[in-house]
Amino acid sequence: NITANEPQFTGHFPENPIMPGVLQVEALAQLAGVVCMQPGDQVLFAGIDGVKFRKPVVPGDTLVMEVEVKKFREKVGIAKITGAAYVDGTKVLEVKEFTCALVKEKK
């Protein structure tokens, strides 16, 4: 849920607040990392391709994020993931491909 009292809105167009795109992409990237990781793993954001912003996200919106693992090379720890975010069923953000690198916990 996006609320007006979040700190990014004080400097990001205070008279017409919108959620910064970089924060939307970061949230989606974190979700992608969580989907791939096992307990103890460290996930590194290694790349992004094909970002499209479809509509501004504003206070009062509920941002629903979805990711899908398209390719996972477990031996080398590389995952290719697509993602999208929606407000009221309307796509507001899409990412053609995230690349995540997983660093396994040393035993």
Side-chain angles (χ1 to χ4, degrees):
N1 293 321
I2 310 303
T3 59
N5 62 346
E6 294 175 39
Q8 68 267 18
F9 294 126
T10 59
H12 202 73
F13 311 116
E15 290 79 38
N16 187 21
I18 62 169
M19 184 174 181
V22 67
L23 295 181
Q24 295 176 52
V25 172
E26 174 66 24
L28 203 58
Q30 287 187 26
L31 176 61
V34 168
V35 166
C36 292
M37 68 189 294
Q38 298 292 319
D41 287 353
Q42 181 181 24
V43 179
L44 304 174
F45 184 47
I48 189 169
D49 187 36
V51 176
K52 292 185 182 179
F53 298 99
R54 303 284 185 193
K55 181 181 172 207
V57 177
V58 298
D61 286 345
T62 297
L63 190 63
V64 177
M65 298 179 294
E66 296 178 350
V67 295
E68 181 180 351
V69 178
K70 293 296 200 177
K71 187 176 185 181
F72 185 44
R73 296 176 55 203
E74 192 169 358
K75 280 189 171 186
V76 294
I78 299 291
K80 300 288 186 170
I81 301 163
T82 61
Y86 302 85
V87 172
D88 295 328
T90 300
K91 189 183 292 185
V92 296
L93 166 66
E94 67 181 282
V95 176
K96 180 179 176 184
E97 184 177 84
F98 285 111
T99 302
C100 294
L102 282 72
V103 179
K104 296 290 183 187
E105 180 179 36
K106 295 184 191 239
K107 297 181 181 187

